[in-house]
Amino acid sequence: TFTDIAPRGLAPGERRSWLVLQRFVEGFFLHPVGLEVLVDHRDPDPQRWAVQQLWYNGHYFSSPQELAERYEQGTLAVARLAEPPSRQLFSSYEPRGRFATGTPTEVHGAKVCEPQGRRYWLRGNQLEYGGWSLAFRLRSSAGLQLFDLRFNGERVAYEVSVQEAIAFYGGHTPAAMQTKYMDAGWGMGSVTYELARGIDCPEAATYLDAHHLYDADGPVRFSSAICVFELPTGVPLRRHFDSDFQGGFHFYAGLEGQALVLRTTSTVYNYDYIWDFLLYPNGVMEAKVHATGFIHATFYTPQGQRYGSRVHSHLLGNLHTHLVHYKVDLDIAGTGNSFETVDLRFENISNPWSPGARPHVPPARVGSGWHSWGSPGRGGEMGPPPAPAPTHAGLLPAPGNGPDPAPAPRRYHLAVTRHHENEPTSSSIYTQNDPWEPLVSFEGFLHNN
């Protein structure tokens, strides 16, 4: 079998894809055979597609004929791979091994339960819990979206949603150095397969189906694609032991730590993303993503060790980074909002109560780095409004050679812009195949404010 790499070329209009050939066994992602092929498939007639280059075991070849001739002449460095075992293959999910500490693996560990029933309310896509209320849906392109988030009746955000997940790789093989996955282009929100009770979510969770009309003739039902459950956090929400400093205490007080979890998954080829939104009873909302599944790996060569780690005899785990983009559409205490970035630094002052001493104290905000939203609409306690949006902080350096083959969201830790109805998403399903001239330009959102 094979894995195909994107983007498909180095400039707009190209359709050239590197294919990584692999053994067709369980976990084939971890079984490259050392051969990668560059196919030009720009012509709509597959009969006119052509192999442009090949890479085998660290060397490039201009044609299959050149590779075959080198093999016949005995001048080809052949990678000899052992036959994979029929059982307990290293890439399989078959349970094997035991802990050196003797911890039993044949019995269940801790479980989540609801001894007095559910404390959340769910009707359709409307969810309420601990002061929170919201609506949610599963968008086929990118995944979970939350709408009209309110806490104790006050709106916190109009929308909080996943927009894009990007993975950039480095490597010595051509496929590795070309890999820049933008997962909305692979229908990240539509690959939300059934959740396993007791593993993906607790048995006591509520499970919901999803329907997608994506690359199909009609709507397709995905059973148990979303789950909702209350989770003990394992730490108190707050606590205090009030000592009398004589071996006793005046009181102890504490609140159990719990959160409501809204979860789905996306299996984008080799990767499995677990997407969580957590609602806490103190008014905090948290977005989390866990990356699991199989790594995107390439064939090991000594030159490749500069770009990753050798994880098996003929396998290199390539260095890469995951970037996830979220949209948060909100107003703070009204619509008259402003935004600034501030920082803290130590200030050398004279100590007013001890002449001659010069303590270093953190002063008022200066510089940039700490993000502050404000609204003067509540009694003016926010002070004078700072510089207006757009403001973006944490700029990451973009590549200096040639067009940047990535959507602009990857360049910023945080980007702030005014809301426009014609800018609903920061990426699109088409960005993967033409990142140089994207249909949705997030950079344009910032410049055209």
Side-chain angles (χ1 to χ4, degrees):
T1 187
F2 66 90
T3 292
D4 59 312
I5 303 303
R8 306 182 189 286
L10 299 172
E14 288 192 6
R15 279 182 143 189
R16 298 188 297 159
S17 297
W18 279 99
L19 309 180
V20 180
L21 273 67
Q22 300 151 322
R23 279 177 160 163
F24 191 41
V25 296
E26 183 177 348
F28 62 85
F29 315 101
L30 307 185
H31 291 271
V33 298
L35 178 62
E36 299 181 0
V37 181
L38 178 61
V39 177
D40 185 340
H41 52 98
R42 185 172 183 176
D43 198 290
D45 182 2
Q47 298 294 328
R48 297 184 180 181
W49 294 359
V51 173
Q52 287 191 332
Q53 282 192 71
L54 301 94
W55 180 94
Y56 178 74
N57 198 19
H59 301 279
Y60 286 88
F61 302 89
S62 60
S63 67
Q65 291 76 16
E66 181 188 358
L67 177 61
E69 288 171 4
R70 291 280 302 276
Y71 179 77
E72 292 294 335
Q73 295 167 1
T75 58
L76 182 69
V78 178
R80 304 191 183 278
L81 309 181
E83 192 67 23
S86 59
R87 292 201 59 196
Q88 303 232 334
L89 190 61
F90 79 91
S91 60
S92 78
Y93 268 57
E94 182 181 354
R96 55 193 179 273
R98 291 188 174 276
F99 295 113
T101 55
T103 301
T105 57
E106 66 280 0
V107 298
H108 287 293
K111 294 285 185 178
V112 174
C113 66
E114 298 169 335
Q116 294 176 288
R118 293 172 182 162
R119 301 200 307 155
Y120 58 90
W121 181 88
L122 178 65
R123 180 175 296 173
N125 70 332
Q126 304 290 318
L127 181 61
E128 293 182 0
Y129 169 78
W132 285 98
S133 65
L134 57 90
F136 63 90
R137 78 161 184 155
L138 197 54
R139 187 159 56 109
S140 297
S141 58
L144 274 176
Q145 293 177 289
L146 310 184
F147 296 103
D148 194 21
L149 286 84
R150 297 172 183 263
F151 187 75
N152 286 339
E154 184 174 358
R155 180 180 287 117
V156 175
Y158 299 102
E159 177 186 351
V160 179
S161 60
V162 181
Q163 296 288 301
E164 182 66 276
I166 308 171
F168 288 86
Y169 285 78
H172 181 254
T173 81
M177 64 180 71
Q178 177 67 7
T179 302
K180 300 169 184 68
Y181 286 137
M182 302 160 208
D183 290 332
W186 302 80
M188 178 172 65
S190 68
V191 283
T192 53
Y193 301 110
E194 184 173 358
L195 299 168
R197 295 176 183 267
I199 300 176
D200 294 325
C201 307
E203 289 100 334
T206 300
Y207 292 82
L208 304 171
D209 298 344
H211 293 81
H212 297 291
L213 179 54
Y214 190 94
D215 197 23
D217 294 332
V220 178
R221 177 171 167 263
F222 288 71
S223 300
S224 302
I226 305 170
C227 71
V228 181
F229 59 94
E230 189 174 15
L231 178 72
T233 62
V235 293
L237 184 63
R238 60 180 296 191
R239 57 97 66 191
H240 179 67
F241 181 91
D242 200 70
S243 173
D244 64 3
F245 303 105
Q246 297 179 3
F249 64 95
H250 297 126
F251 69 87
Y252 165 84
L255 291 173
E256 290 181 273
Q258 287 131 354
L260 191 73
V261 181
L262 176 64
R263 171 175 294 174
T264 191
T265 61
S266 299
T267 301
V268 189
Y269 204 57
N270 59 300
Y271 269 116
D272 289 64
Y273 295 105
I274 301 173
W275 304 98
D276 286 352
F277 284 109
L278 292 90
L279 307 174
Y280 295 88
N282 60 351
V284 171
M285 191 210 74
E286 181 181 12
K288 297 175 72 173
V289 58
H290 311 262
T292 179
F294 288 95
I295 60 172
H296 175 63
T298 56
F299 193 75
Y300 168 80
T301 63
Q303 304 95 319
Q305 285 192 295
R306 182 180 177 186
Y307 305 98
S309 301
R310 190 177 188 177
V311 295
H312 207 262
S313 59
H314 291 88
L315 191 65
L316 187 79
N318 298 77
L319 289 172
H320 63 284
T321 184
H322 287 275
L323 300 163
V324 176
H325 196 226
Y326 287 89
K327 174 184 178 180
V328 181
D329 182 5
L330 76 168
D331 286 321
I332 305 297
T335 58
N337 285 182
S338 53
F339 173 82
E340 66 178 355
T341 57
V342 296
D343 207 347
L344 299 178
R345 71 182 179 194
F346 285 101
E347 185 178 28
N348 194 349
I349 65 172
S350 296
N351 192 325
W353 53 270
S354 182
R358 300 186 64 82
H360 287 78
V361 297
R365 52 200 182 189
V366 294
S368 64
W370 172 38
H371 312 298
S372 175
W373 282 264
S375 174
R378 286 197 171 178
E381 72 270 21
M382 296 291 186
T391 304
H392 38 272
L395 182 65
L396 300 177
N401 298 323
D404 182 15
R410 87 168 182 93
R411 302 177 189 168
Y412 307 101
H413 294 301
L414 174 69
V416 179
T417 183
R418 290 190 178 95
H419 173 82
H420 295 283
E421 292 293 342
N422 62 345
E423 298 174 349
T425 62
S426 66
S427 186
S428 83
I429 61 174
Y430 305 107
T431 303
Q432 174 68 93
N433 290 323
D434 191 2
W436 307 276
E437 297 176 351
L439 182 66
V440 176
S441 173
F442 184 73
E443 193 74 33
F445 294 2
L446 302 180
H447 293 310
N448 181 24
N449 209 36

